[in-house]
Amino acid sequence: MTLNIGVIGTGAIGREHIRRCSQVLQHSRVVALNDINRSNCEQIIQDLGIQAEIYDNAHDLINAPEVQAILVTSWGPTHEEFVLASIKAGKAVFCEKPLAVTAQGCMNIVEAEIAAGKKLVQVGFMRPYDAGYRALKAVIENGDIGEPLMLHCAHRNPEVGDSYTTNMAITDTLVHELDVLRWLLKDDYVSAQVIYPRSTSKAAAHLKDPQIVLLETAKGVRIDVEIFVNCAYGYDIQCEVVGESGIARLPEPMSVQTRSAAKLSTSILTDWKKRFIDAYDVELQDFINSVLSGEMTGPSAWDGYAAQVAADACVAAQNSGDIVPITMPAKPAFYE
């Protein structure tokens, strides 16, 4: 069986997903494209040598008979509209984060999916598909280090552009930790605080960088996450879990160690796309397989909602300097 996919949004991540579905993954074919800039679609068709219909209206693509599933990789504020339209059309939809730009928007999607009576939504959180995070989760669940007590994490980028703002450290960067740490611990957050160390001289004047986010979970686990988006030296993701009887660390990406010029060295990646490239492949293949099997297994609309609730609290904590409570409603049985 082959899944016919329509893609809304053909920017950098959209183009990469089209390449994956067309050249790397199994049982998928991109048959329809939409973008605010039609020439982007035309260029992708030419560059990748695919046969796909270009739709000037995203809703026409969603409702096209030949389209069986939708990838939403457009501008964040459009996600809610297109995901809701996909649910209304009864079609499975993979939505890159954020699921919606507000918690209420995410809840609108949750409620629509529940009303439809079938799981149709997968959110584009790729880290639970990363081999390193899966190995770390196995150590925790096997009880090798006892119950987790603390997590020390870091999310570092070599640099960001001038358009990157202080709250984007939460909405664009920390959001990945907010999802994967909740998945790692099987636990929800109950509070958030953000503190600002001395700022790096490499950041734009309007940007507070680095930041430290302090989280507490319902089970009492304390988490600190360093967000440093102008660290200069590379793209570096760290996660250390301190348990009752041991410590487990996220494995480093595979890298050849060299001895040269009186130095022992290991290279560090600088591109986030290369750090998680395999996870992106596994993530989308899982979506394709889930749609074909009729059972969605990836990060759900509820996971997207939970991440947005936590992100909203972290942004509030940025602005106030206070410890901000995080309140989650009971998880619907639909998502158990």
Side-chain angles (χ1 to χ4, degrees), residues 31-55:
V31 299
L33 300 176
N34 163 264
D35 193 90
I36 193 170
N37 187 344
R38 183 183 177 91
S39 64
N40 284 351
C41 301
E42 295 169 345
Q43 190 66 50
I44 286 173
I45 289 172
Q46 178 180 326
D47 292 347
L48 299 181
I50 62 174
Q51 294 183 336
E53 185 78 16
I54 299 175
Y55 288 85

mmCIF file with all atom_site columns, all heavy atoms in Angstrom, residues 31-55:
data_model
loop_
_atom_site.group_PDB
_atom_site.id
_atom_site.type_symbol
_atom_site.label_atom_id
_atom_site.label_alt_id
_atom_site.label_comp_id
_atom_site.label_asym_id
_atom_site.label_entity_id
_atom_site.label_seq_id
_atom_site.pdbx_PDB_ins_code
_atom_site.Cartn_x
_atom_site.Cartn_y
_atom_site.Cartn_z
_atom_site.occupancy
_atom_site.B_iso_or_equiv
_atom_site.pdbx_formal_charge
_atom_site.auth_seq_id
_atom_site.auth_comp_id
_atom_site.auth_asym_id
_atom_site.auth_atom_id
_atom_site.pdbx_PDB_model_num
ATOM 1   N N   . VAL A 1 31 ? 1.614  13.793 -3.469  1.00 0.00 ? 31 VAL A N   1
ATOM 2   C CA  . VAL A 1 31 ? 0.796  13.999 -4.662  1.00 0.00 ? 31 VAL A CA  1
ATOM 3   C C   . VAL A 1 31 ? 0.241  15.410 -4.763  1.00 0.00 ? 31 VAL A C   1
ATOM 4   O O   . VAL A 1 31 ? -0.341 15.766 -5.790  1.00 0.00 ? 31 VAL A O   1
ATOM 5   C CB  . VAL A 1 31 ? -0.370 12.983 -4.699  1.00 0.00 ? 31 VAL A CB  1
ATOM 6   C CG1 . VAL A 1 31 ? 0.159  11.556 -4.752  1.00 0.00 ? 31 VAL A CG1 1
ATOM 7   C CG2 . VAL A 1 31 ? -1.313 13.171 -3.517  1.00 0.00 ? 31 VAL A CG2 1
ATOM 8   N N   . ALA A 1 32 ? 0.404  16.213 -3.705  1.00 0.00 ? 32 ALA A N   1
ATOM 9   C CA  . ALA A 1 32 ? -0.173 17.558 -3.722  1.00 0.00 ? 32 ALA A CA  1
ATOM 10  C C   . ALA A 1 32 ? 0.659  18.498 -2.873  1.00 0.00 ? 32 ALA A C   1
ATOM 11  O O   . ALA A 1 32 ? 1.154  18.112 -1.812  1.00 0.00 ? 32 ALA A O   1
ATOM 12  C CB  . ALA A 1 32 ? -1.613 17.524 -3.221  1.00 0.00 ? 32 ALA A CB  1
ATOM 13  N N   . LEU A 1 33 ? 0.788  19.752 -3.328  1.00 0.00 ? 33 LEU A N   1
ATOM 14  C CA  . LEU A 1 33 ? 1.571  20.761 -2.626  1.00 0.00 ? 33 LEU A CA  1
ATOM 15  C C   . LEU A 1 33 ? 0.794  22.066 -2.546  1.00 0.00 ? 33 LEU A C   1
ATOM 16  O O   . LEU A 1 33 ? 0.033  22.407 -3.459  1.00 0.00 ? 33 LEU A O   1
ATOM 17  C CB  . LEU A 1 33 ? 2.896  21.026 -3.348  1.00 0.00 ? 33 LEU A CB  1
ATOM 18  C CG  . LEU A 1 33 ? 3.872  19.869 -3.537  1.00 0.00 ? 33 LEU A CG  1
ATOM 19  C CD1 . LEU A 1 33 ? 5.065  20.324 -4.369  1.00 0.00 ? 33 LEU A CD1 1
ATOM 20  C CD2 . LEU A 1 33 ? 4.329  19.317 -2.206  1.00 0.00 ? 33 LEU A CD2 1
ATOM 21  N N   . ASN A 1 34 ? 1.003  22.795 -1.465  1.00 0.00 ? 34 ASN A N   1
ATOM 22  C CA  . ASN A 1 34 ? 0.451  24.139 -1.324  1.00 0.00 ? 34 ASN A CA  1
ATOM 23  C C   . ASN A 1 34 ? 1.460  25.005 -0.585  1.00 0.00 ? 34 ASN A C   1
ATOM 24  O O   . ASN A 1 34 ? 2.084  24.561 0.373   1.00 0.00 ? 34 ASN A O   1
ATOM 25  C CB  . ASN A 1 34 ? -0.865 24.119 -0.546  1.00 0.00 ? 34 ASN A CB  1
ATOM 26  C CG  . ASN A 1 34 ? -1.263 25.501 -0.033  1.00 0.00 ? 34 ASN A CG  1
ATOM 27  O OD1 . ASN A 1 34 ? -0.990 25.851 1.111   1.00 0.00 ? 34 ASN A OD1 1
ATOM 28  N ND2 . ASN A 1 34 ? -1.871 26.305 -0.896  1.00 0.00 ? 34 ASN A ND2 1
ATOM 29  N N   . ASP A 1 35 ? 1.606  26.232 -1.034  1.00 0.00 ? 35 ASP A N   1
ATOM 30  C CA  . ASP A 1 35 ? 2.445  27.199 -0.336  1.00 0.00 ? 35 ASP A CA  1
ATOM 31  C C   . ASP A 1 35 ? 1.967  28.588 -0.711  1.00 0.00 ? 35 ASP A C   1
ATOM 32  O O   . ASP A 1 35 ? 1.403  28.795 -1.806  1.00 0.00 ? 35 ASP A O   1
ATOM 33  C CB  . ASP A 1 35 ? 3.925  27.034 -0.718  1.00 0.00 ? 35 ASP A CB  1
ATOM 34  C CG  . ASP A 1 35 ? 4.852  27.789 0.214   1.00 0.00 ? 35 ASP A CG  1
ATOM 35  O OD1 . ASP A 1 35 ? 5.281  27.206 1.226   1.00 0.00 ? 35 ASP A OD1 1
ATOM 36  O OD2 . ASP A 1 35 ? 5.137  28.975 -0.056  1.00 0.00 ? 35 ASP A OD2 1
ATOM 37  N N   . ILE A 1 36 ? 2.162  29.538 0.199   1.00 0.00 ? 36 ILE A N   1
ATOM 38  C CA  . ILE A 1 36 ? 1.781  30.921 -0.086  1.00 0.00 ? 36 ILE A CA  1
ATOM 39  C C   . ILE A 1 36 ? 2.547  31.441 -1.296  1.00 0.00 ? 36 ILE A C   1
ATOM 40  O O   . ILE A 1 36 ? 2.104  32.350 -1.995  1.00 0.00 ? 36 ILE A O   1
ATOM 41  C CB  . ILE A 1 36 ? 2.012  31.798 1.168   1.00 0.00 ? 36 ILE A CB  1
ATOM 42  C CG1 . ILE A 1 36 ? 1.322  33.148 0.999   1.00 0.00 ? 36 ILE A CG1 1
ATOM 43  C CG2 . ILE A 1 36 ? 3.504  31.952 1.468   1.00 0.00 ? 36 ILE A CG2 1
ATOM 44  C CD1 . ILE A 1 36 ? 1.295  33.974 2.271   1.00 0.00 ? 36 ILE A CD1 1
ATOM 45  N N   . ASN A 1 37 ? 3.708  30.843 -1.555  1.00 0.00 ? 37 ASN A N   1
ATOM 46  C CA  . ASN A 1 37 ? 4.527  31.194 -2.716  1.00 0.00 ? 37 ASN A CA  1
ATOM 47  C C   . ASN A 1 37 ? 4.516  30.001 -3.673  1.00 0.00 ? 37 ASN A C   1
ATOM 48  O O   . ASN A 1 37 ? 5.223  29.022 -3.473  1.00 0.00 ? 37 ASN A O   1
ATOM 49  C CB  . ASN A 1 37 ? 5.952  31.531 -2.273  1.00 0.00 ? 37 ASN A CB  1
ATOM 50  C CG  . ASN A 1 37 ? 6.803  32.059 -3.415  1.00 0.00 ? 37 ASN A CG  1
ATOM 51  O OD1 . ASN A 1 37 ? 6.455  31.920 -4.590  1.00 0.00 ? 37 ASN A OD1 1
ATOM 52  N ND2 . ASN A 1 37 ? 7.929  32.666 -3.073  1.00 0.00 ? 37 ASN A ND2 1
ATOM 53  N N   . ARG A 1 38 ? 3.710  30.072 -4.705  1.00 0.00 ? 38 ARG A N   1
ATOM 54  C CA  . ARG A 1 38 ? 3.544  28.955 -5.634  1.00 0.00 ? 38 ARG A CA  1
ATOM 55  C C   . ARG A 1 38 ? 4.875  28.525 -6.261  1.00 0.00 ? 38 ARG A C   1
ATOM 56  O O   . ARG A 1 38 ? 5.093  27.332 -6.515  1.00 0.00 ? 38 ARG A O   1
ATOM 57  C CB  . ARG A 1 38 ? 2.553  29.350 -6.735  1.00 0.00 ? 38 ARG A CB  1
ATOM 58  C CG  . ARG A 1 38 ? 2.241  28.219 -7.723  1.00 0.00 ? 38 ARG A CG  1
ATOM 59  C CD  . ARG A 1 38 ? 1.309  28.686 -8.835  1.00 0.00 ? 38 ARG A CD  1
ATOM 60  N NE  . ARG A 1 38 ? 1.077  27.626 -9.806  1.00 0.00 ? 38 ARG A NE  1
ATOM 61  C CZ  . ARG A 1 38 ? 0.082  26.742 -9.737  1.00 0.00 ? 38 ARG A CZ  1
ATOM 62  N NH1 . ARG A 1 38 ? -0.775 26.815 -8.734  1.00 0.00 ? 38 ARG A NH1 1
ATOM 63  N NH2 . ARG A 1 38 ? -0.054 25.814 -10.661 1.00 0.00 ? 38 ARG A NH2 1
ATOM 64  N N   . SER A 1 39 ? 5.767  29.483 -6.473  1.00 0.00 ? 39 SER A N   1
ATOM 65  C CA  . SER A 1 39 ? 7.049  29.144 -7.111  1.00 0.00 ? 39 SER A CA  1
ATOM 66  C C   . SER A 1 39 ? 7.864  28.173 -6.261  1.00 0.00 ? 39 SER A C   1
ATOM 67  O O   . SER A 1 39 ? 8.684  27.407 -6.798  1.00 0.00 ? 39 SER A O   1
ATOM 68  C CB  . SER A 1 39 ? 7.852  30.417 -7.394  1.00 0.00 ? 39 SER A CB  1
ATOM 69  O OG  . SER A 1 39 ? 8.200  31.081 -6.186  1.00 0.00 ? 39 SER A OG  1
ATOM 70  N N   . ASN A 1 40 ? 7.685  28.193 -4.931  1.00 0.00 ? 40 ASN A N   1
ATOM 71  C CA  . ASN A 1 40 ? 8.371  27.217 -4.079  1.00 0.00 ? 40 ASN A CA  1
ATOM 72  C C   . ASN A 1 40 ? 7.960  25.799 -4.448  1.00 0.00 ? 40 ASN A C   1
ATOM 73  O O   . ASN A 1 40 ? 8.788  24.886 -4.520  1.00 0.00 ? 40 ASN A O   1
ATOM 74  C CB  . ASN A 1 40 ? 8.045  27.468 -2.601  1.00 0.00 ? 40 ASN A CB  1
ATOM 75  C CG  . ASN A 1 40 ? 8.786  28.654 -2.034  1.00 0.00 ? 40 ASN A CG  1
ATOM 76  O OD1 . ASN A 1 40 ? 9.679  29.206 -2.669  1.00 0.00 ? 40 ASN A OD1 1
ATOM 77  N ND2 . ASN A 1 40 ? 8.411  29.056 -0.829  1.00 0.00 ? 40 ASN A ND2 1
ATOM 78  N N   . CYS A 1 41 ? 6.654  25.611 -4.664  1.00 0.00 ? 41 CYS A N   1
ATOM 79  C CA  . CYS A 1 41 ? 6.147  24.295 -5.049  1.00 0.00 ? 41 CYS A CA  1
ATOM 80  C C   . CYS A 1 41 ? 6.711  23.880 -6.406  1.00 0.00 ? 41 CYS A C   1
ATOM 81  O O   . CYS A 1 41 ? 7.130  22.725 -6.595  1.00 0.00 ? 41 CYS A O   1
ATOM 82  C CB  . CYS A 1 41 ? 4.623  24.309 -5.102  1.00 0.00 ? 41 CYS A CB  1
ATOM 83  S SG  . CYS A 1 41 ? 3.810  24.744 -3.557  1.00 0.00 ? 41 CYS A SG  1
ATOM 84  N N   . GLU A 1 42 ? 6.722  24.812 -7.345  1.00 0.00 ? 42 GLU A N   1
ATOM 85  C CA  . GLU A 1 42 ? 7.237  24.513 -8.686  1.00 0.00 ? 42 GLU A CA  1
ATOM 86  C C   . GLU A 1 42 ? 8.706  24.128 -8.634  1.00 0.00 ? 42 GLU A C   1
ATOM 87  O O   . GLU A 1 42 ? 9.144  23.190 -9.331  1.00 0.00 ? 42 GLU A O   1
ATOM 88  C CB  . GLU A 1 42 ? 7.032  25.729 -9.595  1.00 0.00 ? 42 GLU A CB  1
ATOM 89  C CG  . GLU A 1 42 ? 5.561  26.058 -9.842  1.00 0.00 ? 42 GLU A CG  1
ATOM 90  C CD  . GLU A 1 42 ? 5.355  27.397 -10.523 1.00 0.00 ? 42 GLU A CD  1
ATOM 91  O OE1 . GLU A 1 42 ? 6.326  28.209 -10.546 1.00 0.00 ? 42 GLU A OE1 1
ATOM 92  O OE2 . GLU A 1 42 ? 4.236  27.651 -11.023 1.00 0.00 ? 42 GLU A OE2 1
ATOM 93  N N   . GLN A 1 43 ? 9.475  24.806 -7.786  1.00 0.00 ? 43 GLN A N   1
ATOM 94  C CA  . GLN A 1 43 ? 10.902 24.507 -7.669  1.00 0.00 ? 43 GLN A CA  1
ATOM 95  C C   . GLN A 1 43 ? 11.129 23.131 -7.071  1.00 0.00 ? 43 GLN A C   1
ATOM 96  O O   . GLN A 1 43 ? 12.012 22.384 -7.507  1.00 0.00 ? 43 GLN A O   1
ATOM 97  C CB  . GLN A 1 43 ? 11.581 25.578 -6.806  1.00 0.00 ? 43 GLN A CB  1
ATOM 98  C CG  . GLN A 1 43 ? 13.109 25.498 -6.805  1.00 0.00 ? 43 GLN A CG  1
ATOM 99  C CD  . GLN A 1 43 ? 13.707 25.799 -8.170  1.00 0.00 ? 43 GLN A CD  1
ATOM 100 O OE1 . GLN A 1 43 ? 13.367 26.802 -8.794  1.00 0.00 ? 43 GLN A OE1 1
ATOM 101 N NE2 . GLN A 1 43 ? 14.575 24.909 -8.644  1.00 0.00 ? 43 GLN A NE2 1
ATOM 102 N N   . ILE A 1 44 ? 10.351 22.779 -6.062  1.00 0.00 ? 44 ILE A N   1
ATOM 103 C CA  . ILE A 1 44 ? 10.493 21.461 -5.433  1.00 0.00 ? 44 ILE A CA  1
ATOM 104 C C   . ILE A 1 44 ? 10.161 20.350 -6.418  1.00 0.00 ? 44 ILE A C   1
ATOM 105 O O   . ILE A 1 44 ? 10.864 19.332 -6.489  1.00 0.00 ? 44 ILE A O   1
ATOM 106 C CB  . ILE A 1 44 ? 9.600  21.379 -4.177  1.00 0.00 ? 44 ILE A CB  1
ATOM 107 C CG1 . ILE A 1 44 ? 10.224 22.206 -3.048  1.00 0.00 ? 44 ILE A CG1 1
ATOM 108 C CG2 . ILE A 1 44 ? 9.395  19.925 -3.726  1.00 0.00 ? 44 ILE A CG2 1
ATOM 109 C CD1 . ILE A 1 44 ? 9.363  22.339 -1.825  1.00 0.00 ? 44 ILE A CD1 1
ATOM 110 N N   . ILE A 1 45 ? 9.098  20.518 -7.182  1.00 0.00 ? 45 ILE A N   1
ATOM 111 C CA  . ILE A 1 45 ? 8.728  19.516 -8.192  1.00 0.00 ? 45 ILE A CA  1
ATOM 112 C C   . ILE A 1 45 ? 9.872  19.314 -9.177  1.00 0.00 ? 45 ILE A C   1
ATOM 113 O O   . ILE A 1 45 ? 10.221 18.189 -9.548  1.00 0.00 ? 45 ILE A O   1
ATOM 114 C CB  . ILE A 1 45 ? 7.433  19.935 -8.914  1.00 0.00 ? 45 ILE A CB  1
ATOM 115 C CG1 . ILE A 1 45 ? 6.238  19.800 -7.968  1.00 0.00 ? 45 ILE A CG1 1
ATOM 116 C CG2 . ILE A 1 45 ? 7.217  19.108 -10.174 1.00 0.00 ? 45 ILE A CG2 1
ATOM 117 C CD1 . ILE A 1 45 ? 4.945  20.359 -8.517  1.00 0.00 ? 45 ILE A CD1 1
ATOM 118 N N   . GLN A 1 46 ? 10.484 20.421 -9.583  1.00 0.00 ? 46 GLN A N   1
ATOM 119 C CA  . GLN A 1 46 ? 11.609 20.344 -10.530 1.00 0.00 ? 46 GLN A CA  1
ATOM 120 C C   . GLN A 1 46 ? 12.833 19.706 -9.879  1.00 0.00 ? 46 GLN A C   1
ATOM 121 O O   . GLN A 1 46 ? 13.461 18.808 -10.462 1.00 0.00 ? 46 GLN A O   1
ATOM 122 C CB  . GLN A 1 46 ? 11.953 21.740 -11.029 1.00 0.00 ? 46 GLN A CB  1
ATOM 123 C CG  . GLN A 1 46 ? 13.146 21.782 -11.980 1.00 0.00 ? 46 GLN A CG  1
ATOM 124 C CD  . GLN A 1 46 ? 13.454 23.191 -12.450 1.00 0.00 ? 46 GLN A CD  1
ATOM 125 O OE1 . GLN A 1 46 ? 12.559 24.018 -12.635 1.00 0.00 ? 46 GLN A OE1 1
ATOM 126 N NE2 . GLN A 1 46 ? 14.739 23.489 -12.644 1.00 0.00 ? 46 GLN A NE2 1
ATOM 127 N N   . ASP A 1 47 ? 13.175 20.140 -8.663  1.00 0.00 ? 47 ASP A N   1
ATOM 128 C CA  . ASP A 1 47 ? 14.400 19.664 -8.016  1.00 0.00 ? 47 ASP A CA  1
ATOM 129 C C   . ASP A 1 47 ? 14.314 18.190 -7.629  1.00 0.00 ? 47 ASP A C   1
ATOM 130 O O   . ASP A 1 47 ? 15.307 17.451 -7.739  1.00 0.00 ? 47 ASP A O   1
ATOM 131 C CB  . ASP A 1 47 ? 14.696 20.495 -6.762  1.00 0.00 ? 47 ASP A CB  1
ATOM 132 C CG  . ASP A 1 47 ? 15.085 21.927 -7.092  1.00 0.00 ? 47 ASP A CG  1
ATOM 133 O OD1 . ASP A 1 47 ? 15.368 22.206 -8.268  1.00 0.00 ? 47 ASP A OD1 1
ATOM 134 O OD2 . ASP A 1 47 ? 15.096 22.760 -6.168  1.00 0.00 ? 47 ASP A OD2 1
ATOM 135 N N   . LEU A 1 48 ? 13.160 17.756 -7.145  1.00 0.00 ? 48 LEU A N   1
ATOM 136 C CA  . LEU A 1 48 ? 13.021 16.385 -6.654  1.00 0.00 ? 48 LEU A CA  1
ATOM 137 C C   . LEU A 1 48 ? 12.454 15.435 -7.701  1.00 0.00 ? 48 LEU A C   1
ATOM 138 O O   . LEU A 1 48 ? 12.410 14.223 -7.475  1.00 0.00 ? 48 LEU A O   1
ATOM 139 C CB  . LEU A 1 48 ? 12.143 16.361 -5.394  1.00 0.00 ? 48 LEU A CB  1
ATOM 140 C CG  . LEU A 1 48 ? 12.672 17.159 -4.194  1.00 0.00 ? 48 LEU A CG  1
ATOM 141 C CD1 . LEU A 1 48 ? 11.718 17.029 -3.013  1.00 0.00 ? 48 LEU A CD1 1
ATOM 142 C CD2 . LEU A 1 48 ? 14.069 16.691 -3.801  1.00 0.00 ? 48 LEU A CD2 1
ATOM 143 N N   . GLY A 1 49 ? 12.003 15.977 -8.813  1.00 0.00 ? 49 GLY A N   1
ATOM 144 C CA  . GLY A 1 49 ? 11.489 15.134 -9.879  1.00 0.00 ? 49 GLY A CA  1
ATOM 145 C C   . GLY A 1 49 ? 10.228 14.372 -9.504  1.00 0.00 ? 49 GLY A C   1
ATOM 146 O O   . GLY A 1 49 ? 10.045 13.222 -9.903  1.00 0.00 ? 49 GLY A O   1
ATOM 147 N N   . ILE A 1 50 ? 9.347  15.019 -8.735  1.00 0.00 ? 50 ILE A N   1
ATOM 148 C CA  . ILE A 1 50 ? 8.111  14.359 -8.323  1.00 0.00 ? 50 ILE A CA  1
ATOM 149 C C   . ILE A 1 50 ? 6.942  14.864 -9.167  1.00 0.00 ? 50 ILE A C   1
ATOM 150 O O   . ILE A 1 50 ? 7.017  15.920 -9.797  1.00 0.00 ? 50 ILE A O   1
ATOM 151 C CB  . ILE A 1 50 ? 7.802  14.602 -6.835  1.00 0.00 ? 50 ILE A CB  1
ATOM 152 C CG1 . ILE A 1 50 ? 7.586  16.098 -6.555  1.00 0.00 ? 50 ILE A CG1 1
ATOM 153 C CG2 . ILE A 1 50 ? 8.910  14.035 -5.964  1.00 0.00 ? 50 ILE A CG2 1
ATOM 154 C CD1 . ILE A 1 50 ? 7.146  16.392 -5.137  1.00 0.00 ? 50 ILE A CD1 1
ATOM 155 N N   . GLN A 1 51 ? 5.876  14.076 -9.183  1.00 0.00 ? 51 GLN A N   1
ATOM 156 C CA  . GLN A 1 51 ? 4.652  14.471 -9.865  1.00 0.00 ? 51 GLN A CA  1
ATOM 157 C C   . GLN A 1 51 ? 3.622  14.816 -8.805  1.00 0.00 ? 51 GLN A C   1
ATOM 158 O O   . GLN A 1 51 ? 3.138  13.936 -8.089  1.00 0.00 ? 51 GLN A O   1
ATOM 159 C CB  . GLN A 1 51 ? 4.151  13.343 -10.770 1.00 0.00 ? 51 GLN A CB  1
ATOM 160 C CG  . GLN A 1 51 ? 5.071  13.045 -11.946 1.00 0.00 ? 51 GLN A CG  1
ATOM 161 C CD  . GLN A 1 51 ? 4.518  11.968 -12.859 1.00 0.00 ? 51 GLN A CD  1
ATOM 162 O OE1 . GLN A 1 51 ? 3.717  11.140 -12.448 1.00 0.00 ? 51 GLN A OE1 1
ATOM 163 N NE2 . GLN A 1 51 ? 4.934  11.988 -14.111 1.00 0.00 ? 51 GLN A NE2 1
ATOM 164 N N   . ALA A 1 52 ? 3.308  16.084 -8.682  1.00 0.00 ? 52 ALA A N   1
ATOM 165 C CA  . ALA A 1 52 ? 2.380  16.530 -7.650  1.00 0.00 ? 52 ALA A CA  1
ATOM 166 C C   . ALA A 1 52 ? 1.559  17.693 -8.176  1.00 0.00 ? 52 ALA A C   1
ATOM 167 O O   . ALA A 1 52 ? 2.063  18.549 -8.909  1.00 0.00 ? 52 ALA A O   1
ATOM 168 C CB  . ALA A 1 52 ? 3.139  16.959 -6.391  1.00 0.00 ? 52 ALA A CB  1
ATOM 169 N N   . GLU A 1 53 ? 0.293  17.716 -7.793  1.00 0.00 ? 53 GLU A N   1
ATOM 170 C CA  . GLU A 1 53 ? -0.598 18.815 -8.140  1.00 0.00 ? 53 GLU A CA  1
ATOM 171 C C   . GLU A 1 53 ? -0.336 19.985 -7.189  1.00 0.00 ? 53 GLU A C   1
ATOM 172 O O   . GLU A 1 53 ? -0.169 19.795 -5.983  1.00 0.00 ? 53 GLU A O   1
ATOM 173 C CB  . GLU A 1 53 ? -2.052 18.359 -7.999  1.00 0.00 ? 53 GLU A CB  1
ATOM 174 C CG  . GLU A 1 53 ? -3.075 19.368 -8.431  1.00 0.00 ? 53 GLU A CG  1
ATOM 175 C CD  . GLU A 1 53 ? -3.246 19.466 -9.936  1.00 0.00 ? 53 GLU A CD  1
ATOM 176 O OE1 . GLU A 1 53 ? -2.781 18.535 -10.641 1.00 0.00 ? 53 GLU A OE1 1
ATOM 177 O OE2 . GLU A 1 53 ? -3.813 20.467 -10.403 1.00 0.00 ? 53 GLU A OE2 1
ATOM 178 N N   . ILE A 1 54 ? -0.294 21.192 -7.737  1.00 0.00 ? 54 ILE A N   1
ATOM 179 C CA  . ILE A 1 54 ? -0.123 22.387 -6.914  1.00 0.00 ? 54 ILE A CA  1
ATOM 180 C C   . ILE A 1 54 ? -1.501 23.022 -6.681  1.00 0.00 ? 54 ILE A C   1
ATOM 181 O O   . ILE A 1 54 ? -2.229 23.303 -7.639  1.00 0.00 ? 54 ILE A O   1
ATOM 182 C CB  . ILE A 1 54 ? 0.820  23.405 -7.576  1.00 0.00 ? 54 ILE A CB  1
ATOM 183 C CG1 . ILE A 1 54 ? 2.216  22.805 -7.774  1.00 0.00 ? 54 ILE A CG1 1
ATOM 184 C CG2 . ILE A 1 54 ? 0.920  24.671 -6.723  1.00 0.00 ? 54 ILE A CG2 1
ATOM 185 C CD1 . ILE A 1 54 ? 3.175  23.709 -8.526  1.00 0.00 ? 54 ILE A CD1 1
ATOM 186 N N   . TYR A 1 55 ? -1.830 23.215 -5.410  1.00 0.00 ? 55 TYR A N   1
ATOM 187 C CA  . TYR A 1 55 ? -3.096 23.849 -5.043  1.00 0.00 ? 55 TYR A CA  1
ATOM 188 C C   . TYR A 1 55 ? -2.808 25.233 -4.473  1.00 0.00 ? 55 TYR A C   1
ATOM 189 O O   . TYR A 1 55 ? -1.990 25.379 -3.562  1.00 0.00 ? 55 TYR A O   1
ATOM 190 C CB  . TYR A 1 55 ? -3.833 23.006 -3.999  1.00 0.00 ? 55 TYR A CB  1
ATOM 191 C CG  . TYR A 1 55 ? -4.423 21.727 -4.550  1.00 0.00 ? 55 TYR A CG  1
ATOM 192 C CD1 . TYR A 1 55 ? -3.652 20.572 -4.648  1.00 0.00 ? 55 TYR A CD1 1
ATOM 193 C CD2 . TYR A 1 55 ? -5.746 21.683 -4.977  1.00 0.00 ? 55 TYR A CD2 1
ATOM 194 C CE1 . TYR A 1 55 ? -4.186 19.399 -5.162  1.00 0.00 ? 55 TYR A CE1 1
ATOM 195 C CE2 . TYR A 1 55 ? -6.292 20.516 -5.488  1.00 0.00 ? 55 TYR A CE2 1
ATOM 196 C CZ  . TYR A 1 55 ? -5.515 19.382 -5.572  1.00 0.00 ? 55 TYR A CZ  1
ATOM 197 O OH  . TYR A 1 55 ? -6.046 18.215 -6.078  1.00 0.00 ? 55 TYR A OH  1
#
